[in-house]
Amino acid sequence: VSRLIQVVKIGGSVLTDKCSEEPQFAWQQARRIAGEIGKLSRLPVIVHGTGSYGKPSARQYGYMNGKLSRRQADTISKVSSILESLRMKVLETFRNEGIPAVSLNAGSLFVTENGSIVDCHWEPVLNFVERGVVPIISGDFVTDRQDDFSVCSSDWIASHLSVSMRAHRLVFVTDVPGVIMPGETGKSQPQTIAADDIQQWQSAEPGVEDDVTLGMQGKLAAAFLACESGVETFMVDGTSAGSVFEALSSDSPHATRFVAKKTAREVGVQ
Ligand SMILES: Nc1ncnc2c1ncn2[C@@H]1O[C@H](COP(=O)(O)OP(=O)(O)OP(=O)(O)O)[C@@H](O)[C@H]1O
Ligand SMILES: [Mg+2]
């Protein structure tokens, strides 16, 4: 049985100016989204990405493969201070909208092995939200069983938490309304995407070189893990006003929906 818990992953693409080489918080957009979440009758678990607070450091310190060794302890600490400053701004924004939020650290909730989450302490997260306090977790460094440390993507945090907590719905908020499929061009639109469609896409698409968490490709894999485990999974364009509120409150939001398998109707069979 799914619980009436919702998880929202707010992308660094909407909370920060993601193209900036310097950390740059997108105050106005963050405030608007926090306001939309504040209007919900049931508050969600919030996970957020790091945008221009995370990606430039990975390039600068050379951990684009997401792995760090204990010899990079100074890097871990230095970059963590940048991520902490982002979390402070996110917390402040949500508190200013009247949301009772606390920050929980990914490094104390998750352990990875070869970069994949293998240990997920979801119980405290669920406990907080069930008691009316909104936990906020960001993408971060965590310890890894094989390598010493890894970059734990907020897309995977959101997806693993949703599955473990048996959440009802997971919403990825990013800066595009849908996914452009191979061979397609132009602007993406809200759509239904089945895991079957994506298999062909992933083999066609080369790796994403400039993003340690693999951009859209990583997000799709995380989204399919959730929908295949029975979580209603959506993606919305957070740059469009009202979309976050709708995605978390409507029974059938106008959003990109991830489904485990194409249904007969979707492939055009009567
Ligand atoms: N096939 C595709 N369809 C749609 N968007 C794509 C595609 N390939 C790459 N993208 C890019 O993926 C981006 C969204 O992923 P990105 O990781 O930048 O955002 P995010 O996950 O919201 O931010 P963060 O990783 O900081 O949390 C979009 O801005 C878009 O430009
Ligand atoms: Mg991303």
Side-chain angles (χ1 to χ4, degrees), residues 9-16 18 48-55 153-155 172-182 186 188 191 201 205 208 211 213-217 219-220 235:
K9 187 266 171 161
I10 311 174
S13 61
V14 290
L15 287 179
T16 75
K18 74 169 185 179
H48 68 87
T50 57
S52 58
Y53 285 70
K55 282 155 193 155
S153 141
S154 52
D155 293 332
F172 291 97
V173 181
T174 184
D175 62 349
V176 287
V179 178
I180 298 163
M181 302 302 273
S188 60
Q191 64 209 131
W201 189 67
E205 191 81 348
V208 183
D211 185 345
T213 57
L214 299 177
M216 187 54 69
Q217 207 167 302
K219 192 185 305 299
L220 292 174
M235 183 173 87

Side-chain angles (χ1 to χ4, degrees), residues 26-41:
W27 284 105
Q28 224 180 342
Q29 194 143 263
R31 271 192 213 109
R32 179 180 49 74
I33 290 173
E36 291 182 25
I37 290 175
K39 282 197 302 175
L40 296 166
S41 52

